[in-house]
């Protein structure tokens, strides 16, 4: 009987040591995370709450990546600056594309993209290599993705027109498109923004009208410092990935909208993303399509998307998603500005 008791004690102490080691290990990861992303919390209670969220995400990412190692999934996840934010918090502030009201009347004002005839499209295109894409930006806790997709597409067309790459002002769009039906950090829409830039006679550069992830009380557009202009927008046939391919290959970066609700929580790191949940064609997040390619090891064709969640997310701020399945509704509402 006593032997059993000793064995029991021994295994209890081993279990305790292991769980203690795990706690020390976990706390080390959280300390590292705080250091890397320069995190400071207002109170101890807040810090404990953030640590709990972080550890939950950490375990999920580890498990997912074990599946990746086993070949069960096509992409990896990784800790990034959003690891202390719950999924719900993240979802409520990090997308923000909204059809809002009267969208059909906005769309009617767009020109129609006609795919070029008599050309053979290349197997891969990457406008980053051609100098048409600015550095990855960060929308912060503001549902302003629509403004970043707008500037990204216009930056590309402006570059193609002038050979000059200029980072354009999202804050200009945030503050000045309320009368066009956009709602600042609560969502908005790229086509309305293209129309504003057309009617306004242009948009300021990001250096002139810097972004600060909050709606200002007034529009501070500086008419003496116009950085780029637009004559309206062109819409690509909805749900036609061949037309989308032709557009991004021959025109430049295209503003798209996609279902980002399930970018494997917010921890995509690299590989061709895939998630059954995300195939649902309910776009809620505007992004910039900058090209396409093919993964030779898995034989997967993919789109290359620039996000506005900073460089700690994804592949230095980018994500690859599958082609040919209208993934997350990516081909539902693509457009680009006319310059
Ligand atoms: C890992 O794969 C298993 C088996 O397919 C699955 O049940 C589990 O949910 C996966 N884990 C994650 C985090 O995706
Ligand atoms: C994939 O294969 C194609 C055709 O064989 C080739 O042109 C391309 O360079 C390959 N891509 C990579 C990344 O190896």
């Amino acid at each position: 009987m006593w032997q059993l008791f000793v064995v029991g004690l021994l295994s209890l102490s081993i279990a305790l040591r292991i769980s203690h080691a795990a706690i020390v290990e976990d706390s080390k990861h959280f300390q590292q995370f705080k250091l890397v992303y320069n995190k400071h919390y207002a109170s101890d209670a807040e810090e404990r709450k953030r640590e709990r969220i972080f550890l939950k995400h950490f375990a999920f990412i580890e498990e997912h990546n074990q599946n990746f190692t086993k070949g069960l999934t096509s992409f990896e996840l990784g800790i990034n600056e959003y690891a202390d934010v719950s999924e719900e918090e993240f979802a409520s502030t990090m997308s923000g594309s909204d059809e809002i009201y009267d969208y059909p009347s906005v769309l009617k004002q767009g020109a129609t993209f006609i795919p070029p005839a008599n050309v053979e499209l290349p197997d891969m295109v990457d406008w980053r290599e051609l100098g048409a894409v600015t550095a990855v930006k960060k929308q912060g806790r503001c549902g302003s993705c629509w403004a970043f997709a707008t500037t990204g597409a216009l930056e590309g067309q402006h570059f193609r027109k002038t050979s000059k790459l200029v980072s354009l002002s999202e804050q200009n769009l945030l503050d000045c498109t309320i009368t066009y039906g956009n709602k600042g950090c609560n969502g908005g829409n790229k086509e309305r923004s293209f129309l504003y830039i057309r009617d306004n006679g242009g948009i300021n550069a990001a250096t002139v009208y810097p972004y600060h992830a909050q709606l200002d009380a007034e529009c501070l557009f500086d008419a003496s410092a116009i950085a780029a202009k637009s004559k309206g927008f062109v819409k690509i046939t909805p749900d036609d990935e061949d037309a989308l391919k032709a557009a991004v290959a021959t025109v430049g970066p295209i503003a798209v909208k996609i279902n980002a609700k399930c970018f494997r929580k917010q921890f995509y790191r690299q590989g061709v993303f895939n998630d059954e949940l995300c195939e649902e064609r309910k776009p809620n997040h505007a992004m910039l399509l900058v090209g396409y390619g093919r993964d030779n090891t898995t034989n997967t064709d993919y789109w290359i998307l620039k996000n506005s969640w900073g460089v700690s997310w994804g592949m230095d701020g980018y994500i690859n998603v599958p082609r040919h399945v209208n993934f997350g509704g990516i081909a539902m509402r693509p457009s680009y500005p006319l310059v």
Side-chain angles (χ1 to χ4, degrees):
M1 197 60 203
W2 64 272
Q3 290 98 327
L4 268 181
F5 180 68
V6 168
V7 169
L9 268 183
L10 261 178
S11 54
L12 180 65
S13 89
I14 288 169
L16 277 177
R17 243 181 301 156
I18 289 172
S19 72
H20 179 68
I23 289 165
V24 169
E25 195 54 22
D26 281 353
S27 138
K28 211 175 75 195
H29 290 306
F30 184 61
Q31 297 307 325
Q32 257 170 13
F33 165 77
K34 285 198 312 181
L35 217 62
V36 169
Y37 297 107
N38 197 23
K39 298 276 185 177
H40 302 279
Y41 303 104
S43 65
D44 283 352
E46 177 68 11
E47 173 147 350
R48 279 196 301 277
K49 176 183 165 193
R50 294 297 154 194
E51 179 168 11
R52 271 198 306 277
I53 294 171
F54 170 87
L55 293 176
K56 202 176 114 219
H57 289 324
F58 188 87
F60 173 79
I61 291 168
E62 293 275 285
E63 187 187 325
H64 175 95
N65 286 349
Q66 279 164 16
N67 285 357
F68 175 77
T69 311
K70 289 182 210 151
L72 296 176
T73 168
S74 61
F75 62 98
E76 265 184 286
L77 301 181
I79 291 288
N80 56 33
E81 67 195 273
Y82 306 113
D84 60 350
V85 176
S86 77
E87 248 182 294
E88 296 72 26
E89 288 172 294
F90 189 80
S92 71
T93 55
M94 295 304 282
S95 53
S97 191
D98 197 341
E99 307 286 51
I100 322 178
Y101 58 88
D102 208 16
Y103 192 44
S105 80
V106 172
L107 282 182
K108 252 187 243 158
Q109 298 182 60
T112 303
F113 174 69
I114 300 173
N118 310 313
V119 292
E120 202 177 315
L121 300 175
D123 289 335
M124 53 185 295
V125 165
D126 188 344
W127 284 101
R128 290 174 294 184
E129 288 169 8
L130 301 166
V133 186
T134 58
V136 167
K137 305 182 189 185
K138 195 152 85 174
Q139 68 188 73
R141 300 190 72 173
C142 170
S144 53
C145 58
W146 54 274
F148 289 84
T150 303
T151 54
L154 184 54
E155 285 161 1
Q157 292 309 291
H158 184 71
F159 170 81
R160 292 215 60 208
K161 181 178 175 178
T162 65
S163 299
K164 290 196 181 77
L165 185 65
V166 182
S167 178
L168 301 174
S169 172
E170 293 78 24
Q171 195 66 42
N172 187 168
L173 299 175
L174 214 61
D175 295 343
C176 311
T177 61
I178 300 292
T179 53
Y180 281 73
N182 286 336
K183 297 192 288 191
C185 286
N186 296 321
N189 152 308
K190 49 199 167 51
E191 286 81 16
R192 290 176 198 274
S193 308
F194 293 139
L195 293 180
Y196 157 77
I197 298 168
R198 177 195 69 187
D199 300 347
N200 189 51
I203 179 174
N204 288 147
T207 48
V208 168
Y209 199 157
Y211 184 70
H212 60 92
Q214 266 177 341
L215 184 66
D216 289 321
E218 54 179 333
C219 169
L220 302 171
F221 169 73
D222 180 351
S224 71
I226 285 174
K229 294 180 179 189
S230 160
K231 291 195 163 69
F233 67 92
V234 180
K235 55 196 177 188
I236 292 142
T237 315
D239 302 320
D240 183 348
E241 282 188 277
D242 291 331
L244 186 56
K245 181 184 177 192
V248 73
T250 61
V251 173
I254 305 292
V256 297
K257 233 175 110 176
I258 191 168
N259 178 355
K261 276 250 163 67
C262 46
F263 275 174
R264 269 279 129 164
K265 317 221 182 261
Q266 58 265 32
F267 302 115
Y268 167 81
R269 172 57 56 80
Q270 61 178 328
V272 180
F273 180 75
N274 216 331
D275 190 320
E276 281 161 22
L277 293 170
C278 242
E279 282 176 19
E280 198 184 2
R281 291 172 193 162
K282 282 197 179 151
N284 62 350
H285 183 54
M287 290 173 95
L288 187 70
L289 180 64
V290 301
Y292 58 84
R294 180 178 181 79
D295 185 326
N296 285 344
T297 50
T298 58
N299 286 330
T300 335
D301 287 342
Y302 57 81
W303 298 114
I304 309 168
L305 290 165
K306 182 190 189 189
N307 203 353
S308 46
W309 294 347
V311 291
S312 81
W313 182 89
M315 296 180 284
D316 295 322
Y318 287 82
I319 183 170
N320 292 346
V321 302
R323 261 156 68 195
H324 313 301
V325 288
N326 199 353
F327 189 78
I330 189 174
M332 282 173 78
R333 201 58 90 200
S335 62
Y336 64 90
L338 204 54
V339 293

